[in-house]
Amino acid sequence: MNKKILDILEYQKIKDAIKGFLGTANGKQELLEMFPKTDVDSIQKDLTETLDAVDIYRVKSGIPIPKLANIVEPLRRLKIEATLNGKELAQIGQVLRATREVTTFFQDLADEEVNIRVLNQKVDQLVLLPEVEHRLSESIEGNGHLTNAASPELRKIRTNISRLESEVRSKMEKYTRGANAKYLSDPIVTIRNDRYVIPVKSDSRSRFGGVVHDQSASGLTFYIEPEAVVDLNSQLRQNQLAEIAEEQRIFQELSELLIPYRDDLRENSWVLGHLDLLNGKAKYAHKLHATEPRISDTNVINLRQARHPLLDQNKAVANDIKLGDDYQTLIITGPNTGGKTITLKTVGLIQLMAQSGLFIPANENSTVGIFKEVFADIGDEQSIEQNLSTFSSHMDNIIQILDKLDHDSLVLFDELGAGTDPKEGAALAIAILDRVRQNGSMAMATTHYPELKTYGYERPATINASMEFDVATLQPTYKLLIGIPGQSNAFEISNRLGLDTAIIDQARGLVDQDSQDLNNMIKDLTSRQKHTTNLANDLESTLKDSDRLRTDLSRAVDSFQRQRTEMVEKAKEEANQIVNDSQETADKIIKRLRKMEHNAGYQENDLIEAKSKLNSLRQDTNLKRNRVLNRAKAWQELHPNDEVIVTSYGQKGELIRKADQNHWEVQLGIIKMKVSVDELELVESARSIEKRTRTNVRRTASVSVKTTLDLRGKRYEEAMVEVDRYIDAAILAGYDQVTIVHGKGTGALRAGITKYLQANKRIKDFGYAPANAGGNGATIVKLR
């Protein structure tokens, strides 16, 4: 497929629209390389994949694929056994998590009996690496920062760092308070050369001893590390260096862990990118109200109510366009601004979309061909550099097109032969179209020349068409009329605009009778076709109403059948209840009769026969179809301490007590929840349950959550992470109020916690603790 046609028809704008729906780097790269194909099997496979994606989007709003970076470069570095950094390892971890989530998603689709045709084969290429994924997820956060769980040594070092920092700050704060504060330029503790220092006035530098690490530009302030904290600072720095070394060792260890799985990771990344692109195709199809095109083996184009994809779909005029069955050449005549060029572009761009595996903006059962080449001569392609006129530029383009045409080509001519003498231009247009027909190519052409109207009738496999024009409103309707050439409306328009009738009559007299007869014939044909189209539209509307009524009637009949069955079953239940009551009464009577048997002369067989007649009154109910009874039976089978599955969360729990007729209180890990019985499934060891992937709630190391979080001695970043996790745990534990102890210090941590609490919607209120409980060194938080 030549690149020029992609530029003329603005194919890139289609790709740009799809790009807005993509989230993975690989998906965007595959979209960048997307190109109209010419192999039928490959195109059909792409369309079937898109159909699967559209069905998934309709049922599940798309495949759950997060934003993923391109891991090609990190994988290349692994090939030479390089050590990846935290960000690169985190990106690979995200790919592994997405792989597991997509695999689980498609397993659940199978359980829901969603019809997937080919995408399961693509998903089967994904390789799960649970051990590697677990190691990365417990070691690295999403931003690439190593967690304390990455190694025991790292946890130990960071604990030492927190302790030493706390001790250093504690000693340094003594210099910022009391009598020593007056010797400081500012009563704060800061850092210079990775060591804690205080800003001392230049004339007081000797009061603190220690080491001078920096001074201000004015020379009035010295940043001094007091002698009392030199050893602590040294120990702190040693631990900080040890932390860096341990982090580097862990990065190297994790990188070596990934080396054997380079190919699997690359394949996973590619498959996820491909699924992301299919997601984008499905979302774009939904936006355009697009449908799956049928592929014609004979290159027949039959577009039903086709719309240009780049126009507003709510305003674009839809047209039925046919080419390649009864005729190979379609000639569209009519005035300017009537929609001829848009019609050409609609056919060409829809053809490119279909050959790219995209759904098309047309009604269902629309058909497209498979063309090896699509050519177009549309618009003014005058070349200033070559100093060519408009006509010369068009001719140069047409010459190149004619040299490459064959029976698998589609060519679109806009205003063929324009830009020169009308008679010569019309003659050239006819000759060019004849050459296109001889090559066996499909062609659509627009023109002003009346000679081509006759051409459409004289040549085989050629048909005229026109764009409808409403003389009453003097506006084009943009409706394509196939089989009818464009008529001249000059006299009618001039008359409606108020031109003197005498002038119009004189002009009519100057037009030869054949032209007038042809124009009148076209006018009559247009009127007849419009009438036929209106009748067809009315018939189609009536047919849709009939189908809707038939569907409603069918649903009503089904509803009636269900109601009747339920009523019959209910009547049987009531009858059985009556029989049960009667049997109890009969049993009592029979017992009494047996006692009287010797005196009254009753026989045992008479009694048995009487009881059999009572039993024969019982009618069997169809319990399999009675959902109400099934649900009631299921409720009766639930008991406290039973292990159940909460289907809405996919988690196991234990029944505590029955809250009411329709709800049970369930223990899910550390959470107690009130759950509807409809969402409970009893876990039975004997029941054969198909294995499936479920999400489990992981408990933290400590099930008991304290009501106080002590952050003193923590670094700012570490403390903020702990606050976020602690608030989540406290809410899950059901606490109404907790206390966060952050100390007074420099105030940076206190300010950060305040900002976090203000932004957290789960926080009801917060404030400093009372003076006897820590004052502004602790914050009391009320939870929603």
Side-chain angles (χ1 to χ4, degrees):
M1 191 73 67
N2 65 94
K3 183 179 182 300
K4 189 173 184 179
I5 190 65
L6 306 182
D7 296 333
I8 293 174
L9 298 181
E10 300 179 292
Y11 178 76
Q12 183 59 42
K13 290 186 177 180
I14 300 292
K15 296 170 71 171
D16 291 341
I18 297 174
K19 184 178 180 180
F21 296 115
L22 304 185
T24 67
N26 278 7
K28 293 175 182 178
Q29 180 62 34
E30 187 175 347
L31 174 66
L32 182 66
E33 299 169 357
M34 187 177 75
F35 197 75
K37 299 180 179 179
T38 57
D39 178 67
V40 176
D41 293 337
S42 180
I43 293 171
Q44 189 58 65
K45 177 177 175 294
D46 289 348
L47 288 172
T48 304
E49 286 187 342
T50 303
L51 178 60
D52 279 350
V54 167
D55 286 344
I56 292 173
Y57 182 79
R58 176 175 48 82
V59 177
K60 291 290 187 178
S61 299
I63 306 169
I65 298 179
K67 291 185 177 181
L68 297 174
N70 192 337
I71 61 171
V72 171
E73 187 57 34
L75 294 180
R76 286 176 182 167
R77 295 181 59 213
L78 284 179
K79 188 175 182 179
I80 60 174
E81 299 184 359
T83 299
L84 304 184
N85 58 41
K87 185 177 180 180
E88 292 171 328
L89 291 168
Q91 290 171 352
I92 293 177
Q94 290 168 355
V95 169
L96 288 174
R97 282 193 295 275
T99 299
R100 173 175 48 80
E101 291 168 359
V102 169
T103 302
T104 302
F105 175 80
F106 275 87
Q107 289 174 351
D108 293 341
L109 279 183
D111 294 341
E112 297 182 16
E113 299 182 355
V114 177
N115 184 25
I116 302 298
R117 301 155 191 82
V118 295
L119 278 192
N120 282 326
Q121 301 171 16
K122 189 68 66 178
V123 174
D124 288 343
Q125 299 176 21
L126 293 173
V127 179
L128 295 175
L129 302 171
E131 293 83 4
V132 176
E133 180 195 347
H134 176 71
R135 179 76 172 95
L136 288 176
S137 63
E138 74 171 359
S139 301
I140 299 183
E141 296 177 343
N143 58 3
H145 180 262
L146 283 174
T147 67
N148 289 345
S151 77
E153 181 64 20
L154 182 63
R155 182 189 299 275
K156 177 182 177 182
I157 292 172
R158 287 180 174 175
T159 300
N160 289 337
I161 290 174
S162 297
R163 175 182 58 79
L164 290 168
E165 285 180 336
S166 179
E167 291 181 17
V168 170
R169 282 196 300 268
S170 178
K171 288 194 173 186
M172 297 287 277
E173 285 176 357
K174 295 179 180 178
Y175 296 105
T176 62
R177 299 175 185 171
N180 288 324
K182 63 184 178 181
Y183 302 115
L184 304 183
S185 299
D186 198 2
I188 60 171
V189 177
T190 185
I191 295 177
R192 289 292 187 276
N193 299 328
D194 297 321
R195 301 174 80 90
Y196 284 95
V197 296
I198 52 176
V200 181
K201 295 177 181 178
S202 58
D203 56 358
S204 304
R205 55 180 297 187
S206 60
R207 287 185 172 273
F208 299 93
V211 180
V212 176
H213 286 277
D214 196 5
Q215 69 178 22
S216 65
S218 63
L220 298 178
T221 300
F222 288 86
Y223 294 92
I224 297 177
E225 177 186 9
E227 187 176 357
V229 297
V230 169
D231 288 342
L232 287 175
N233 263 338
S234 297
Q235 295 178 39
L236 177 60
R237 184 56 183 159
Q238 290 172 2
N239 277 272
Q240 289 172 340
L241 294 174
E243 179 186 28
I244 294 173
E246 177 63 11
E247 288 179 344
Q248 190 61 28
R249 186 196 67 79
I250 295 171
F251 286 148
Q252 183 177 356
E253 179 184 288
L254 295 176
S255 299
E256 292 172 352
L257 175 66
L258 295 174
I259 289 176
Y261 307 106
R262 292 194 317 272
D263 294 338
D264 293 334
L265 291 169
R266 183 182 296 104
E267 181 71 11
N268 286 353
S269 180
W270 181 86
V271 171
L272 292 173
H274 184 70
L275 295 176
D276 185 36
L277 177 57
L278 291 177
N279 257 353
K281 289 182 177 181
K283 293 175 183 178
Y284 188 55
H286 176 75
K287 177 183 178 182
L288 292 183
H289 309 292
T291 63
E292 179 189 15
R294 293 181 175 180
I295 303 297
S296 169
D297 296 333
T298 56
N299 281 349
V300 172
I301 296 175
N302 183 11
L303 303 179
R304 302 176 62 249
Q305 295 297 287
R307 308 169 300 277
H308 194 286
L310 299 180
L311 298 178
D312 185 342
Q313 296 299 293
N314 296 321
K315 297 179 181 179
V317 176
N319 280 302
D320 292 332
I321 306 172
K322 298 181 180 180
L323 184 66
D325 192 1
D326 298 326
Y327 43 86
Q328 292 179 297
T329 305
L330 180 65
I331 300 173
I332 307 174
T333 53
N336 286 329
T337 70
K340 300 193 302 297
T341 304
I342 283 293
T343 302
L344 290 185
K345 290 185 174 182
T346 298
V347 173
L349 193 50
I350 282 179
Q351 189 63 50
L352 296 182
M353 290 176 65
Q355 292 185 217
S356 301
L358 298 173
F359 278 20
I360 61 174
N363 286 2
E364 292 182 349
N365 299 321
S366 292
T367 304
V368 297
I370 301 299
F371 297 99
K372 291 182 180 178
E373 287 289 356
V374 178
F375 299 104
D377 181 62
I378 297 176
D380 185 3
E381 298 180 9
Q382 180 173 345
S383 172
I384 298 176
E385 292 82 0
Q386 296 178 354
N387 195 27
L388 298 175
S389 67
T390 300
F391 176 76
S392 299
S393 177
H394 282 298
M395 280 300 105
D396 182 63
N397 191 31
I398 289 172
I399 290 170
Q400 297 180 40
I401 291 174
L402 293 177
D403 288 341
K404 300 174 183 177
L405 284 180
D406 60 22
H407 65 282
D408 286 327
S409 299
L410 170 66
V411 59
L412 309 172
F413 292 121
D414 187 30
E415 299 297 346
L416 183 60
T420 187
D421 177 79
K423 289 189 176 296
E424 293 181 356
L428 272 173
I430 290 172
I432 290 170
L433 289 175
D434 280 341
R435 173 61 64 87
V436 173
R437 290 177 57 253
Q438 291 171 10
N439 290 333
S441 303
M442 303 288 182
M444 290 181 65
T446 68
T447 181
H448 280 94
Y449 297 138
E451 290 85 353
L452 268 72
K453 300 176 184 178
T454 307
Y455 177 88
Y457 284 109
E458 292 176 343
R459 296 298 195 276
T462 304
I463 193 169
N464 282 312
S466 61
M467 305 306 297
E468 185 181 52
F469 188 88
D470 190 339
V471 180
T473 62
L474 302 182
Q475 295 291 329
T477 64
Y478 305 107
K479 282 288 185 180
L480 179 67
L481 304 177
I482 295 180
I484 300 176
Q487 70 177 100
S488 173
N489 299 300
F491 295 151
E492 286 78 2
I493 293 173
S494 299
N495 185 46
R496 288 188 56 83
L497 292 176
L499 185 63
D500 192 322
T501 306
I503 297 176
I504 296 174
D505 291 341
Q506 182 181 357
R508 289 184 191 276
L510 297 175
V511 178
D512 61 75
Q513 189 60 41
D514 290 342
S515 296
Q516 290 191 41
D517 291 342
L518 177 61
N519 207 43
N520 290 333
M521 180 188 69
I522 294 173
K523 184 175 182 181
D524 182 62
L525 282 173
T526 302
S527 177
R528 290 175 181 271
Q529 177 151 350
K530 188 172 184 179
H531 177 68
T532 303
T533 302
N534 290 336
L535 288 177
N537 291 337
D538 292 342
L539 180 61
E540 185 176 359
S541 178
T542 302
L543 182 61
K544 288 181 179 179
D545 291 340
S546 299
D547 289 341
R548 185 170 61 254
L549 289 173
R550 183 182 64 180
T551 302
D552 292 342
L553 180 60
S554 177
R555 291 174 179 172
V557 170
D558 291 341
S559 177
F560 169 75
Q561 294 288 0
R562 287 195 301 271
Q563 291 180 11
R564 185 178 68 173
T565 301
E566 291 174 359
M567 292 178 67
V568 170
E569 294 298 322
K570 185 176 181 180
K572 289 181 180 180
E573 293 168 20
E574 293 176 352
N576 287 338
Q577 186 61 45
I578 294 173
V579 171
N580 289 336
D581 295 341
S582 300
Q583 283 180 331
E584 291 179 4
T585 304
D587 287 340
K588 294 178 182 178
I589 294 173
I590 289 172
K591 288 180 181 179
R592 189 167 61 251
L593 288 174
R594 281 175 176 164
K595 291 180 181 179
M596 301 171 59
E597 182 178 357
H598 295 292
N599 299 328
Y602 288 110
Q603 299 296 320
E604 181 69 21
N605 61 332
D606 294 331
L607 298 175
I608 294 173
E609 182 179 356
K611 187 168 184 179
S612 297
K613 289 181 179 179
L614 284 173
N615 289 335
S616 67
L617 295 176
R618 175 179 292 277
Q619 299 188 50
D620 294 332
T621 59
N622 190 354
L623 294 178
K624 289 183 179 179
R625 298 180 58 185
N626 195 321
R627 296 180 180 178
V628 176
L629 289 180
N630 281 338
R631 189 178 296 118
K633 182 178 179 181
W635 294 351
Q636 293 171 1
E637 292 176 351
L638 297 176
H639 303 286
N641 300 322
D642 280 350
E643 188 178 15
V644 295
I645 293 176
V646 181
T647 57
S648 56
Y649 294 94
Q651 300 175 3
K652 286 186 179 181
E654 183 176 331
L655 297 180
I656 299 176
R657 65 179 184 83
K658 192 170 185 178
D660 54 41
Q661 185 65 23
N662 299 321
H663 295 83
W664 278 81
E665 188 171 311
V666 184
Q667 183 78 38
L668 290 175
I670 63 173
I671 305 173
K672 289 183 181 179
M673 298 183 64
K674 186 177 180 182
V675 182
S676 170
V677 293
D678 293 336
E679 301 175 9
L680 298 177
E681 287 184 3
L682 187 63
V683 177
E684 297 176 6
S685 58
R687 187 184 301 173
S688 176
I689 301 178
E690 182 180 354
K691 291 184 179 180
R692 66 182 68 183
T693 305
R694 294 191 181 277
T695 304
N696 296 321
V697 177
R698 294 182 56 191
R699 292 192 176 189
T700 58
S702 176
V703 175
S704 176
V705 180
K706 298 180 180 180
T707 59
T708 299
L709 173 65
D710 191 348
L711 299 175
R712 288 176 295 180
K714 304 283 186 179
R715 291 189 301 171
Y716 180 84
E717 293 80 4
E718 181 183 4
M720 294 308 300
V721 171
E722 287 196 24
V723 168
D724 187 46
R725 293 174 178 171
Y726 176 71
I727 292 297
D728 288 342
I731 291 174
L732 288 175
Y735 292 160
D736 295 326
Q737 178 176 301
V738 295
T739 300
I740 300 175
V741 180
H742 43 68
K744 298 178 181 179
T746 63
L749 179 58
R750 178 175 56 199
I753 292 174
T754 299
K755 185 176 180 181
Y756 167 81
L757 295 175
Q758 289 173 340
N760 194 327
K761 296 181 179 179
R762 298 170 298 177
I763 305 304
K764 183 177 181 181
D765 193 13
F766 66 92
Y768 293 135
N772 59 355
N776 60 1
T779 299
I780 297 176
V781 182
K782 295 182 179 179
L783 306 174
R784 294 186 184 278

